[in-house]
Amino acid sequence: MRNLLTVRLALWAWLLAEAGLLYWIIGDLTWAVASMLLLRFVAIGALSAYTSFYLNSQVLNTKQWLLLWLGEWWAFVLLFMGLQLLPKNWHETDIPVGQKHVILVHGFFCNAGMWSPLARRLERRGYTTSFVEMTALFGSLNVLADNLNTELKQVEQERPSVDISVVAFSMGGLAARYCLANLSTNPFRLITVHSPHKGTLLAGYIEKLGSRSAKQMAPGCDWLQSLEIAEAQLVDRPFTAIWSTNDTIVMPANNACYGHKTIEEVGKGHLFAVVDWQLHQCIFTELG
């Protein structure tokens, strides 16, 4: 049963259950929805305060922290109460693979909907796009890496001369690294965004829910160590890592600072990457 639970299904179940419970307690739908938004606002504020003022070394002033808090809350609402509830085909296009193609890979408890805003911006710049999606909520990173490898082969089969880039968020960056080091026969340009390359302390809590991918993101775990060993044997497969000194999910934030080229952000939360125009501009620059 666990393997049949997709992110999309889990999000719908969570949203409906919470809305139903709050409506039963409050007795008014408008106030129930407002309470849902407020609960998220408070929870994200607490997480932002903990990571900004206690955990991470880059301390923010009050204005910077408020902007981080508001950005994370808005991105959370857009993702978990909007974009990721939609079917995958709502985010895909029927445009044939072009000469410059970008494959977008999501993070933990996410799906194709998270990169939909970036995909539209890429397409306006002449790129074609496609999405890789994890089928099981608690699945292994190896499965996501296999799905990416399958998508790479399909894109190359449709257009053999294609220039492929992969943009991967958070957990997806680890799966993409695994694919690049162990599965793909043709090197591809890889850009990771806010990925826990050296693990995240948060994974230890999520692992207790039975998540195999969370176990693979624990700092110092065997999976991460074996990935570094595999990468050390390669010389032609570099990647760029975009990371934030104030990441709210990668704990500590500098665990995301890893790779052949790193680009540092300051005062940006984890989920804000979805709507961060400046970050998207950085990705466009790296794609060339």
Side-chain angles (χ1 to χ4, degrees):
M1 177 64 184
R2 183 172 66 180
N3 293 332
L4 298 178
L5 185 62
T6 65
V7 168
R8 195 168 287 105
L9 180 60
L11 285 175
W12 273 110
W14 173 21
L15 190 65
L16 293 174
E18 184 180 4
L21 177 62
L22 289 172
Y23 178 73
W24 178 73
I25 294 173
I26 299 173
D28 183 273
L29 182 59
T30 301
W31 281 106
V33 173
S35 297
M36 292 171 65
L37 295 173
L38 180 61
L39 287 170
R40 286 151 176 73
F41 189 70
V42 172
I44 291 171
L47 181 63
S48 299
Y50 171 70
T51 55
S52 296
F53 301 121
Y54 175 75
L55 184 63
N56 295 323
S57 58
Q58 180 68 46
V59 179
L60 303 179
N61 60 39
T62 302
K63 180 181 177 180
Q64 290 173 318
W65 173 65
L66 288 174
L67 289 174
L68 183 151
W69 178 6
L70 290 171
E72 282 294 271
W73 174 75
W74 164 237
F76 187 98
V77 171
L78 180 66
L79 281 176
F80 296 99
M81 299 179 71
L83 289 175
Q84 296 189 140
L85 298 175
L86 301 173
K88 183 183 178 183
N89 57 17
W90 282 45
H91 308 293
E92 297 176 318
T93 64
D94 296 327
I95 302 173
V97 172
Q99 181 57 42
K100 297 186 297 182
H101 188 83
V102 179
I103 301 174
L104 300 161
V105 188
H106 62 72
F108 182 79
F109 206 34
C110 293
N111 59 36
M114 73 149 296
W115 275 139
S116 184
L118 176 62
R120 303 293 83 81
R121 289 174 174 172
L122 285 167
E123 288 159 8
R124 287 195 291 269
R125 286 165 172 78
Y127 294 89
T128 54
T129 62
S130 59
F131 301 89
V132 173
E133 195 166 85
M134 174 80 87
T135 52
L137 174 61
F138 297 109
S140 166
L141 287 173
N142 297 59
V143 174
L144 187 56
D146 286 336
N147 292 346
L148 174 57
N149 194 44
T150 299
E151 180 66 18
L152 287 163
K153 291 178 180 178
Q154 291 176 348
V155 170
E156 291 171 346
Q157 183 177 6
E158 183 173 341
R159 192 180 183 104
S161 62
V162 65
D163 177 15
I164 300 180
S165 301
V166 174
V167 177
F169 176 72
S170 193
M171 174 191 81
L174 299 181
R177 282 174 56 199
Y178 184 91
C179 180
L180 190 63
N182 297 293
L183 302 178
S184 177
T185 55
N186 296 324
F188 52 84
R189 182 187 298 105
L190 172 60
I191 302 170
T192 69
V193 179
H194 301 177
S195 294
H197 292 299
K198 299 177 185 177
T200 172
L201 297 175
L202 193 60
Y205 300 98
I206 302 174
E207 181 186 348
K208 296 177 182 179
L209 300 175
S211 171
R212 283 171 288 176
S213 56
K215 184 177 181 180
Q216 293 167 316
M217 290 188 286
C221 70
D222 292 342
W223 193 89
L224 286 176
Q225 291 181 22
S226 64
L227 176 57
E228 290 188 18
I229 292 172
E231 288 175 327
Q233 299 172 359
L234 302 172
V235 295
D236 62 340
R237 305 194 178 189
F239 68 92
T240 299
I242 302 174
W243 72 288
S244 172
T245 59
N246 301 95
D247 200 301
T248 50
I249 299 297
V250 180
M251 300 180 181
N254 59 12
N255 276 8
C257 181
Y258 176 87
H260 297 81
K261 178 181 180 181
T262 59
I263 300 174
E264 177 184 295
E265 298 180 301
V266 177
K268 301 291 183 69
H270 192 76
L271 296 176
F272 189 61
V274 175
V275 293
D276 186 357
W277 182 86
Q278 290 181 328
L279 174 77
H280 294 179
Q281 284 294 126
C282 180
I283 292 173
F284 301 150
T285 300
E286 288 300 304
L287 291 175

